[in-house]
Amino acid sequence: MAKFDLTSKNCQYLDRHLTFPLLEFLLQKNLYDQTSLLKFILETLGKTNMLDYTNDIRQRLTQDKSLPDEMNQRRENVLVTLKELQTEVAPLMKCMEELKNPDTSKDHKSVILAVQQTLDYDIILSAQKLAKYLYECGYYNDSLSYLYVCMLAMEPSDKNYLGVLWGKLAVEILTLNWPTALEDLTRLRDFIDNYNFTPIQVLQQRAWLIHWSVLVFFNHAKGRDLIIDMFLYKPQYLNAIQTMCPHILRYLATAVIINRGRRNALKDLIKVIQQESYTYRDPITEFLEHLYVNFDFEAARKKLNECQTVISNDFFIIGCLSEFIENARLMIFETFCRIHQCITIGMLADKLSMKPDEAECWIVNLIRNARLDAKIDSKLGHVVMGTQPLSPYQQLVEKIDSLSVRSEALTLLVERKHKAKTQESGEGHWKYY
């Protein structure tokens, strides 16, 4: 299943430190030649100062446990540079200690205000350099303290502020601090959406943010709703996906499938999948097409088997494998039951790739837990379905969601036309609200 592996595409939009977990994951899966992959990791590490990790990869590649003189020299150089940078930010160390001290009577804002008033801007820049250097050495927690100070001390208009936001998000992801990572993700998204980038720059920034956000969304409790809201219902991000990275549809489709509470998003998702089918397809997107467009249950069953392999080899969504299979079977079951009122358990077992006994137990539990209007005739081996009309509340929710998306798209269209008209006429004497 190497042909469905997205690691090379995803790594193009990730910081090199974020790629190392993905590459280590590939080593475990044996999808590629181990030696070639180790050489690539070693080459990538050469652009960082992660000397211990570099030595570990070198040993795994050559089976030579001796430390070459070159590595010893690099270590000495790194320590010297680190000491020089720490000396430059010595005036900031007192502030750092106050921030770390839980018993301090000052809040963080007052400490940062004192920093802005008493320290030169050059010291803040030195702190940013030190944070970057610590990050390149793999000392993520140490880097975080300096990044936090820089983020609060710098003005958003500062040319270095964007780099600090990206750096802090990367550190929170690498230290698996998902709640704070989500806060940083939201802060960075707001900055990108409101900063005066060129159209190409904002498209690139959003493409990077989309990939980084996948790491956060699939590890945060609220991520499964947030990824749908951001990727599917924010037109500017959906446009970035369709333009720059249609392979992200795999993760959007996975999020919709495992999220039973967002089934109303299926119609919009399938529309996008069909629009982009000429640029990107994989077993997960094809599963939805076969099930909801072609109503080809046999093809959907085969694609579901392929989906298991794809997900088990995808670093981003491997944790969703069992949920995906359970919910995909439920989708097949629900769709099949809408078409047929009376179904044999043997036929359902075949469609779900299960044994008849397993399928009967699964359907019994499903009816009990989901409160489906259905009965099982064990003697005849039939499942008899009742009618399940869509509730007025659900109809209202779907209408509101649809109107919200259309309103946002219309607003953006009007703003673009107004901006273009203003630029052509050169008249900026009135403001559009």
Side-chain angles (χ1 to χ4, degrees), residues 114-127:
V115 171
Q116 291 175 328
Q117 292 175 346
T118 59
L119 297 181
D120 293 334
Y121 178 70
D122 291 340
I123 295 179
I124 303 300
L125 291 181
S126 296

Side-chain angles (χ1 to χ4, degrees), residues 259-327:
N259 194 337
R260 296 186 188 183
R262 299 299 296 270
R263 288 289 188 263
N264 58 325
L266 268 172
K267 184 186 297 184
D268 297 320
L269 172 63
I270 291 169
K271 187 184 299 182
V272 175
I273 288 175
Q274 287 184 286
Q275 289 174 351
E276 301 303 317
S277 60
Y278 68 97
T279 58
Y280 179 77
R281 326 172 59 95
D282 69 17
I284 295 176
T285 62
E286 289 178 328
F287 167 77
L288 291 174
E289 278 192 291
H290 286 309
L291 186 58
Y292 290 105
V293 179
N294 304 326
F295 295 99
D296 188 339
F297 295 98
E298 180 61 24
R301 182 186 66 81
K302 292 178 180 178
K303 288 300 174 183
L304 179 56
N305 292 332
E306 293 181 19
C307 288
Q308 297 183 51
T309 306
V310 169
I311 294 174
S312 63
N313 290 315
D314 193 309
F315 177 83
F316 288 165
I317 53 177
I318 187 173
C320 305
L321 179 58
S322 59
E323 286 182 271
F324 182 93
I325 300 304
E326 176 71 15
N327 283 281

Side-chain angles (χ1 to χ4, degrees), residues 19-28 41 53 56-57 60:
T19 67
F20 294 135
L22 278 70
L23 297 173
E24 287 284 354
F25 178 80
L26 283 185
L27 284 172
Q28 298 175 9
I41 296 175
Y53 187 27
D56 176 62
I57 295 295
R60 288 156 66 180

Side-chain angles (χ1 to χ4, degrees), residues 22 26 41 54 63 65 74 77-78 85 90 102 104 128 139 234 253 269 286 322 333 348 355 383 397 404 423 429:
L22 278 70
L26 283 185
I41 296 175
T54 301
Q63 303 299 319
K65 294 186 178 181
R74 280 190 66 189
N77 294 338
V78 167
L85 290 171
T104 182
Q128 183 191 8
Y139 303 142
K234 284 189 178 295
L269 172 63
E286 289 178 328
S322 59
F333 177 73
L348 270 178
K355 295 179 181 178
V383 179
V397 168
S404 175
Q423 290 175 347
H429 59 277

Side-chain angles (χ1 to χ4, degrees), residues 112-367:
I112 294 302
L113 183 60
V115 171
Q116 291 175 328
Q117 292 175 346
T118 59
L119 297 181
D120 293 334
Y121 178 70
D122 291 340
I123 295 179
I124 303 300
L125 291 181
S126 296
Q128 183 191 8
K129 292 179 183 177
L130 178 56
K132 175 67 174 174
Y133 200 78
L134 287 167
Y135 178 82
E136 291 298 341
C137 292
Y139 303 142
Y140 303 126
N141 286 318
D142 294 331
S143 174
L144 183 60
S145 300
Y146 294 99
L147 284 169
Y148 182 73
V149 171
C150 292
M151 184 183 72
L152 294 179
M154 286 181 176
E155 295 293 334
S157 57
D158 193 299
K159 64 179 181 180
N160 298 296
Y161 186 75
L162 179 60
V164 171
L165 292 181
W166 279 110
K168 189 170 184 300
L169 176 58
V171 169
E172 299 294 1
I173 291 174
L174 289 164
T175 54
L176 309 182
N177 190 358
W178 303 118
T180 308
L182 181 59
E183 294 175 6
D184 289 336
L185 175 65
T186 304
R187 185 182 296 110
L188 180 56
R189 185 181 67 201
D190 291 341
F191 182 88
I192 291 172
D193 290 345
N194 295 294
Y195 193 75
N196 190 26
F197 289 114
T198 65
I200 295 297
Q201 287 175 333
V202 74
L203 193 61
Q204 292 171 338
Q205 291 286 327
R206 284 174 178 156
W208 276 70
L209 186 65
I210 285 166
H211 287 79
W212 291 40
S213 66
V214 173
L215 287 164
V216 179
F217 288 144
F218 279 105
N219 288 283
H220 193 281
K222 298 180 180 179
R224 296 173 184 184
D225 285 319
L226 295 175
I227 190 174
I228 297 171
D229 293 336
M230 178 174 167
F231 290 3
L232 189 59
Y233 292 119
K234 284 189 178 295
Q236 62 269 42
Y237 286 91
L238 179 58
N239 177 61
I241 291 172
Q242 293 175 306
T243 305
M244 301 283 288
C245 45
H247 58 273
I248 291 294
L249 289 176
R250 169 186 295 184
Y251 306 113
L252 177 57
T254 300
V256 172
I257 289 172
I258 65 177
N259 194 337
R260 296 186 188 183
R262 299 299 296 270
R263 288 289 188 263
N264 58 325
L266 268 172
K267 184 186 297 184
D268 297 320
L269 172 63
I270 291 169
K271 187 184 299 182
V272 175
I273 288 175
Q274 287 184 286
Q275 289 174 351
E276 301 303 317
S277 60
Y278 68 97
T279 58
Y280 179 77
R281 326 172 59 95
D282 69 17
I284 295 176
T285 62
E286 289 178 328
F287 167 77
L288 291 174
E289 278 192 291
H290 286 309
L291 186 58
Y292 290 105
V293 179
N294 304 326
F295 295 99
D296 188 339
F297 295 98
E298 180 61 24
R301 182 186 66 81
K302 292 178 180 178
K303 288 300 174 183
L304 179 56
N305 292 332
E306 293 181 19
C307 288
Q308 297 183 51
T309 306
V310 169
I311 294 174
S312 63
N313 290 315
D314 193 309
F315 177 83
F316 288 165
I317 53 177
I318 187 173
C320 305
L321 179 58
S322 59
E323 286 182 271
F324 182 93
I325 300 304
E326 176 71 15
N327 283 281
R329 284 175 174 168
L330 175 61
M331 294 168 92
I332 293 175
F333 177 73
E334 290 176 339
T335 307
F336 200 76
C337 291
R338 288 195 191 102
I339 300 174
H340 304 85
Q341 187 174 6
C342 184
I343 314 154
T344 64
I345 293 176
M347 182 183 294
L348 270 178
D350 180 61
K351 301 300 180 188
L352 300 173
S353 298
M354 302 171 74
K355 295 179 181 178
D357 292 342
E358 293 177 351
E360 184 174 356
C361 291
W362 183 80
I363 294 169
V364 167
N365 291 328
L366 184 64
I367 292 173

